[in-house]
Amino acid sequence: METLSPDVVLDLEYFFELSPDMLCIAGDDGYFKKINSAVSNTLGYSKEELFGSPVNTFIHPDDREITAQKHNTLRKGEPLLNFENRYIAKTGEIIWLSWTFVPIIRDKLVFAIAKNITYKKQIEEFDRISLILAMINDDHKQRFKTGQNNVNAKALIIPKLKVNAKVNHEPSPLDQQWLSNFESTVRKYVGRLDLTLHMISDELALSERQLYRRVDRILGITPNKLVRIIRLQLAWEAIASGKYRTVAEISSLAGFKSRAHFSKLFKEVYGIDATELM
């Protein structure tokens, strides 16, 4: 059997290390055997930490069962394409990954390539919440026009709504970084009831008009709606932390002026009363 020359092997190692995608080889024992720098850079752990614990350790607890089921497919020698699951970065951030697995039964190894699709998932969530907020607004307008509080306006407008129809692409790395800065700014001041777009635009060194244009270009929504989305996500995170005991605390923490308004929005977006989660 023909073997690769040392130069070719070196080139493959170079490719493996510099690939922007996460490349890894895992053993049948559930441990990483080889990873490239993208794995460490994405998850924030050192290579020693990643090699020292089972792969399952880094997977989001809610995704471990489905991941284990998919691995049973790999044991049969069948490749797995476009499998999505969540990992927990060292910072605590949730990282969405899309995997392609190729099992090597002879060597009891799995070759895997993963793409970071966190922003894709985040944009999908922005779009979902934006749609619901638009439905609430349109529902309010419909009720006002008809004067009939028992009219289910949402059922009438759902087929017509496509909030982000003009946005069908993933943000560029530059836009992703800018959105991260926007979110960081909102989170920095989120508890302040007097948070304004002027404060945010000053922090980002933009005029308010530029702020509107950039958010609209990237997401197809207004900055005010994006702020509300971030507030709701912060409220969900605060409830999940288990550190708070009342809806009033959560509402205040997320920067909502009215507890009743917050409760309504939360129920519409997440389909459950905040009090039930508490």
Side-chain angles (χ1 to χ4, degrees):
M1 181 176 65
E2 185 177 351
T3 60
L4 296 176
S5 70
D7 289 340
V8 172
V9 172
L10 182 61
D11 287 343
L12 290 175
E13 285 289 334
Y14 187 71
F15 167 78
F16 188 91
E17 187 60 29
L18 293 186
S19 173
D21 291 333
M22 297 170 61
L23 304 180
C24 53
I25 301 173
D28 199 41
D29 59 356
Y31 283 78
F32 286 120
K33 301 303 180 184
K34 185 177 179 65
I35 59 175
N36 67 347
S37 295
V39 179
S40 295
N41 295 338
T42 302
L43 299 180
Y45 297 97
S46 67
K47 289 190 175 182
E48 290 72 22
E49 289 173 312
L50 290 165
F51 287 134
S53 299
V55 177
N56 195 49
T57 305
F58 308 103
I59 298 174
H60 191 289
D62 292 345
D63 289 351
R64 288 174 185 170
E65 183 177 351
I66 183 64
T67 302
Q69 291 174 5
K70 294 298 182 180
H71 281 177
N72 288 332
T73 300
L74 295 175
R75 291 190 180 96
K76 299 175 183 177
E78 301 174 13
L80 184 60
L81 308 178
N82 302 320
F83 170 65
E84 298 177 0
N85 66 358
R86 292 166 292 177
Y87 275 60
I88 304 294
K90 191 169 185 177
T91 60
E93 180 186 1
I94 295 175
I95 306 294
W96 276 95
L97 299 174
S98 177
W99 291 92
T100 294
F101 295 109
V102 178
I104 309 298
I105 300 298
R106 180 195 63 188
D107 299 320
K108 296 183 179 180
L109 295 173
V110 173
F111 286 66
I113 302 175
K115 291 183 178 294
N116 186 348
I117 59 168
T118 303
Y119 261 97
K120 176 175 176 287
K121 291 293 185 179
Q122 187 176 37
I123 297 304
E124 289 174 356
E125 181 67 0
F126 282 171
D127 188 64
R128 186 185 74 83
I129 297 177
S130 180
L131 175 62
I132 293 171
L133 293 177
M135 288 166 61
I136 293 172
N137 291 339
D138 282 5
D139 180 44
H140 176 74
K141 293 174 184 177
Q142 180 73 11
R143 291 174 188 273
F144 180 78
K145 288 178 181 178
T146 62
Q148 298 175 358
N149 289 338
N150 61 344
V151 174
N152 187 358
K154 293 176 193 174
L156 299 175
I157 64 173
I158 286 176
K160 302 177 184 178
L161 279 175
K162 181 61 178 175
V163 177
N164 292 350
K166 63 180 178 179
V167 180
N168 55 9
H169 60 277
E170 183 177 347
S172 68
L174 187 64
D175 285 339
Q176 291 179 14
Q177 183 58 54
W178 189 85
L179 285 174
S180 292
N181 293 339
F182 185 104
E183 182 173 354
S184 296
T185 301
V186 174
R187 286 175 177 269
K188 178 180 177 181
Y189 297 112
V190 72
R192 294 182 55 170
L193 299 180
D194 61 343
L195 175 64
T196 63
L197 294 184
H198 180 71
M199 294 168 59
I200 297 173
S201 60
D202 277 353
E203 189 84 12
L204 298 176
L206 295 171
S207 68
E208 288 188 53
R209 177 174 292 183
Q210 290 172 318
L211 189 73
Y212 269 95
R213 287 177 176 172
R214 190 150 190 181
V215 174
D216 180 65
R217 177 178 62 79
I218 299 173
L219 298 176
I221 60 177
T222 65
N224 279 319
K225 185 173 285 187
L226 180 54
V227 169
R228 272 185 291 170
I229 290 171
I230 295 170
R231 287 186 190 277
L232 285 165
Q233 291 182 329
L234 183 63
W236 178 271
E237 293 167 10
I239 292 173
S241 73
K243 298 178 181 178
Y244 305 94
R245 294 290 176 264
T246 67
V247 173
E249 285 181 287
I250 300 296
S251 175
S252 176
L253 175 73
F256 287 93
K257 296 179 181 179
S258 165
R259 184 179 65 180
H261 177 60
F262 162 72
S263 296
K264 177 184 177 182
L265 282 181
F266 192 91
K267 175 66 179 294
E268 293 283 354
V269 168
Y270 295 111
I272 187 171
D273 287 324
T275 51
E276 293 182 42
L277 291 176
M278 304 294 288

